[in-house]
Amino acid sequence: MQPSDKIFIAGHRGLVGSALVRQLRSLGFENLLLRSRQELDLEDIAAVRAFFEKERPRHVFFAAAKVGGILANSSYPADFIHDNLLIQLSVIGAAQATNVEKMLFLGSSCIYPKLAEQPIREESLLTGELEPTNEAYAIAKIAGIIMCRSFNRQYGTRFISAMPTNLYGEGDNFERAGSHVLPALMRRFHDAKLANQDEIVVWGSGSPRREFLHVDDMADASIHLMRVWAETADDGSVVGGQNALNEIVNIGYGEDVSIRDLAELVAELVGYRGTLRFDTSMPDGTPRKLLDSTRLRATGWRPRISLRDGIARTYEWFLAHPAVARLG
Ligand code: GFB
């Protein structure tokens, strides 16, 4: 990947896509191809094909997806499977048809079985039942992984799939209902602090454990993977001792926390001193989701942003962007 290469970042306004743009620009990549949803509907297979034929990107970071937290996933499963399958059909098909040199497809740790052995190794894919709250989203992402693998086998493309753990950071979705736990709690604690509320509700039992990676670390790992991969032989050879073209690569932080501990940390950093009440009528989801990132670590990559620093940075960003605090 050279600084002058034309690189398409699908989903550049999302959490991961915007971090990728920031980081690629800071590394001197100037030829970034970006399209808003209004300019290019990624669910429109013909429009996406025409765009790839005209622009001919050399590399693609595939960070576009319909995403959401546990409630959004369990309330709108049809949208999650439908929209993600369409986006994937469009982009993966067009990338193959126009000879994109390398593409990084981003999946999600929820592709692994609900009760996968912890920490979760890449080999756990398709070895057990999925977590019901996000089954539809997970099946769409699994289809994306298998599409990339199948295109590599049949057409000789070079599409690699990376599985990030739960991500957070600047540019996250802070909506009340549809968001992930970390931005949801940050917003709720912030509002409660301003309103002098003495009790705050946290969904579920507080006992599920999650691993959180700051999105700048995620962008760094994604660019690292594209580069490591670019340095390897044409047969797709070695990423962490595996054939990158037929395998997936976990991107994790390496430690997890309980939702209770996360809530206490967010409350401390936001400056909320009230009581936490756990609402067990809300779903817990998977009991634990800690990725084994040995494969990625073997390539020399390490995360740099601790959970405490990452939350503090995210809260600074939240305070500097008052519009996100008014979302529904
Ligand atoms: O972040 P979250 O929605 O993601 O929820 P998942 C994580 C845990 O936090 C669950 C609890 O046990 C929730 O019950 N939680 C506590 C809350 N309070 C809240 C809150 O106010 N909002 C939210 N959202 N959760 C999603 C998947 O699952 O993770 C997606 O549905 C995707 O498919 C994404 O994989 C990364 O880890 O449970």
Side-chain angles (χ1 to χ4, degrees):
M1 224 170 46
Q2 303 301 319
S4 59
D5 287 351
K6 195 183 251 193
I7 304 174
F8 178 44
I9 294 111
H12 78 281
R13 288 191 168 166
L15 176 64
V16 180
S18 55
L20 277 167
V21 171
R22 284 196 299 274
Q23 206 147 133
L24 284 166
R25 284 199 174 130
S26 77
L27 292 168
F29 289 86
E30 289 299 341
N31 202 358
L32 304 183
L33 196 51
L34 311 174
R35 289 291 181 277
S36 67
R37 189 174 300 198
Q38 289 69 33
E39 291 164 332
L40 177 65
D41 176 4
L42 293 176
E43 292 178 34
D44 183 337
I45 294 178
V48 171
R49 175 69 77 89
F51 164 77
F52 271 76
E53 274 168 1
K54 178 163 181 276
E55 298 292 346
R56 298 261 157 192
R58 185 162 182 188
H59 307 293
V60 175
F61 285 93
F62 190 168
K66 178 174 178 62
V67 300
I70 193 165
L71 187 64
N73 267 273
S74 56
S75 308
Y76 309 108
D79 295 349
F80 276 86
I81 191 163
H82 174 272
D83 297 1
N84 284 306
L85 283 176
L86 264 184
I87 295 170
Q88 290 163 195
L89 281 172
S90 301
V91 175
I92 297 172
Q96 182 268 323
T98 58
N99 300 319
V100 162
E101 208 170 288
K102 293 185 190 77
M103 177 162 72
L104 183 78
F105 170 66
L106 298 182
S108 162
S109 59
C110 68
I111 56 149
Y112 293 116
K114 176 184 174 88
L115 300 177
E117 196 184 313
Q118 307 283 323
I120 311 172
R121 293 183 311 138
E122 288 88 347
E123 290 81 358
S124 301
L125 179 65
L126 294 173
T127 58
E129 285 189 23
L130 297 165
E131 153 62 29
T133 51
N134 55 36
E135 186 184 55
Y137 174 73
I139 292 279
K141 286 292 183 187
I142 292 170
I145 295 164
I146 304 296
M147 272 186 84
C148 288
R149 192 183 281 179
S150 306
F151 275 61
N152 292 341
R153 289 207 181 127
Q154 188 178 330
Y155 294 119
T157 48
R158 308 176 79 195
F159 300 160
I160 187 172
S161 297
M163 297 308 117
T165 191
N166 288 33
L167 303 172
Y168 71 99
E170 295 86 321
D172 210 338
N173 170 14
F174 288 87
E175 281 168 13
R176 287 180 208 284
S179 53
H180 288 103
V181 60
L182 203 155
L185 292 183
M186 186 173 285
R187 163 103 182 257
R188 208 174 302 146
F189 291 147
H190 174 80
D191 290 347
K193 181 176 77 170
L194 297 187
N196 283 321
Q197 214 175 302
D198 49 15
E199 187 184 79
I200 204 77
V201 169
V202 179
W203 298 353
S205 63
S207 61
R209 300 184 68 84
R210 294 289 184 272
E211 177 188 25
F212 295 94
L213 182 73
H214 189 276
V215 71
D216 285 349
D217 273 336
M218 175 61 199
D220 192 49
S222 304
I223 296 166
H224 168 84
L225 266 182
M226 280 287 239
R227 283 183 154 167
V228 166
W229 189 23
E231 285 159 12
T232 57
D234 276 352
D235 63 0
S237 59
V238 180
V239 167
Q242 304 289 327
N243 182 330
L245 291 180
N246 293 322
E247 298 299 337
I248 54 183
V249 183
N250 286 342
I251 303 186
Y253 178 65
E255 282 170 33
D256 61 356
V257 286
S258 70
I259 296 301
R260 177 183 292 276
D261 288 347
L262 174 79
E264 284 171 359
L265 182 58
V266 176
E268 179 200 324
L269 294 171
V270 167
Y272 175 69
R273 291 188 176 72
T275 313
L276 309 184
R277 183 166 64 80
F278 288 87
D279 176 0
T280 50
S281 71
M282 296 301 278
D284 269 345
T286 305
R288 196 175 181 202
K289 215 165 27 169
L290 174 64
L291 293 179
D292 181 332
S293 302
T294 308
R295 211 176 261 185
L296 175 64
R297 299 289 166 94
T299 68
W301 186 84
R302 300 272 176 286
R304 289 184 210 154
I305 305 169
S306 70
L307 184 57
R308 174 175 282 274
D309 289 351
I311 295 174
R313 275 169 57 164
T314 308
Y315 189 48
E316 266 174 43
W317 183 90
F318 175 87
L319 292 174
H321 294 79
V324 299
R326 290 194 294 273
L327 295 172

